[in-house]
Amino acid sequence: MNNTPSSAAPKLAFTQVHRLEPAQESAQKPTWAQGLGLIWFGQKPAGWAEAQTILPAMAVPLPLILPHAGDAAGLGELWLGHAPGALQMFEGIRFRCDGHSLFGVLTLDDSATGLQDQARTAYDRMFRLLAKTGYSQLWRTWNFIEAIHAQEPVSATAPGANPTADNPSERPTLERYRQFNLGRQAAFDAFAQSVPQTAPAACALGMPDGGYCFAFLAGKIPPILLENPRQTSAYHYPAIYGPQSPSFSRAALILQPTHAVLLISGTASIVGHESRHVGNVRAQTRETITNLSEIVAQANDRLPEGERFTLSKLHLRVYVRHPEDADAVRRELRVCLGKQLNLCFIKADVCRQELLVEIEASGQSLCG
Ligand code: 3EB
C-alpha cells in the first residue's frame, strides 16, 4: 500500500486490464481486486468466476475487433477507488463503494418483460440504491441492449397503448431503443431527477443477445455535465427519433481535489439532431472526431488553470456496426489524431440504424 497523503484521499481512476490472473499483478499497478468495478468486453478471462465474488464485474457479450493493444480476445475497463469496501448486493445490483464513488452492475435477462419495463426497473433500483447509500450524484451509465433495433410490443403502460389489452400482440410495436428511452426517463421522473440538470454521461449499444446489461458510476460530488454546441442536447431531440428523447449528457467531468476524470458519452456523426454522412464510415468518423474535440474543449474550459485534456491522449472505445469498417475508422483516427492512440474496437449496433460508428472516451488528469 502506498502511504503518501494524496493516495489516502478517495480518488476515482480507471485503467485497462487484459487479464485477471494473479501472476500478472505487480506491486506498482493496482490490482483488479481493489477495483470499484469492472466492465469486460470480448472473451471472458481466466479467473472471471473469482472476480465476480470480489467486485461488481459485467461481461458484455460483444466481440473485440483485433488488432488492438495486447491483442487479447478480451479487455477490461477497471474502475478504481481508494480501498473500496466489500462487494454488496441490492435488489440484484452488485456494487462496491469507497466513501467517494459507487460502481454497480445489473443484468436483466427475462425475455417475458419488455425493454421499457426492464429499463425502468434497472434505473429505479439504481436510484433507490443511490438514495439509500448517499451516493446521490449519477456520473455515468453503460447500457448494452439485446436486439436494440427490434420492434417489440409496447408496455401496457406506454403512451398510446391500450392498457386493457393484456395480450401483447394487441399492442402497437416500437423499436426497443425507443422503448428503452421511455423506461429510462420514467425512472428519472419517478425520482424527481430533472434531466437537463442530472442526466449522466452514457452509452447505449446493441448486441445480438445477452438481455440488458447495465452498469453505472455515481458519487458524492456533483458532476459537471457538458453539452456539445454542435449537437442538440440528446434530451431535446425532436420526436422523430422516438416518443421520448434520450436521458443523457454529452459528458460528465468529475473535478476531484487533486485529479479530474472526464467521461465522454458515446459520440457519433450527429450534427444538430441529424445523422450526417449516411453510408460513409470515414466521413462519419471525422464528424465524430470533430464532436469529441468540441466536448474536450468544453471540458478544458471548466478545468482549473494549467490542466488540459487532449483527445489523442484519452482512452477511446470505438463501436463499429460492421467489423470490416474498423480499418478505415482506425486510419481516419490516426490521420486526425496521430499514431499514439489508446484504441479499442468493438463490434456493436449503434442506436440509430444509419450510424456506422460511435466513439466514447475517458480520461484522467495526471496530477494528484
Ligand atoms: C447519440 O448521440 C448517439 O441513449 O444513452 C449515444 C450515447 C447515443 C448514449 C443513450 C445514445 C445514448 O444520440 C446515441
Side-chain angles (χ1 to χ4, degrees), residues 108-119 121 152-153 176 179:
L108 296 176
D109 198 3
D110 172 7
S111 55
T113 315
L115 186 58
Q116 181 188 341
D117 293 338
Q118 286 185 338
T121 298
E152 183 173 84
R176 276 167 56 82
Q179 299 216 24

Side-chain angles (χ1 to χ4, degrees), residues 82-111:
H82 176 75
L87 175 68
Q88 297 180 70
M89 296 279 286
F90 175 83
E91 297 185 18
I93 294 174
R94 304 153 62 75
F95 72 99
R96 212 170 172 188
C97 51
D98 72 348
H100 176 68
S101 347
L102 180 151
F103 188 97
V105 302
L106 175 68
T107 297
L108 296 176
D109 198 3
D110 172 7
S111 55

Side-chain angles (χ1 to χ4, degrees), residues 249-313:
S249 293
R250 297 298 175 188
L253 176 62
I254 314 304
L255 272 191
Q256 307 170 100
T258 58
H259 181 85
V261 173
L262 175 60
L263 307 161
I264 300 185
S265 296
T267 302
S269 177
I270 296 175
V271 180
H273 56 75
E274 290 174 346
S275 304
R276 290 285 169 90
H277 317 294
V278 173
N280 183 341
V281 74
R282 294 177 56 185
Q284 286 196 13
T285 305
R286 287 194 295 272
E287 199 72 73
T288 302
I289 292 168
T290 307
N291 280 331
L292 289 167
S293 305
E294 183 57 48
I295 297 167
V296 171
Q298 294 292 319
N300 284 334
D301 284 348
R302 313 296 291 268
L303 284 181
E305 196 72 21
E307 294 274 341
R308 306 292 286 171
F309 287 108
T310 306
L311 180 53
S312 58
K313 292 191 180 145

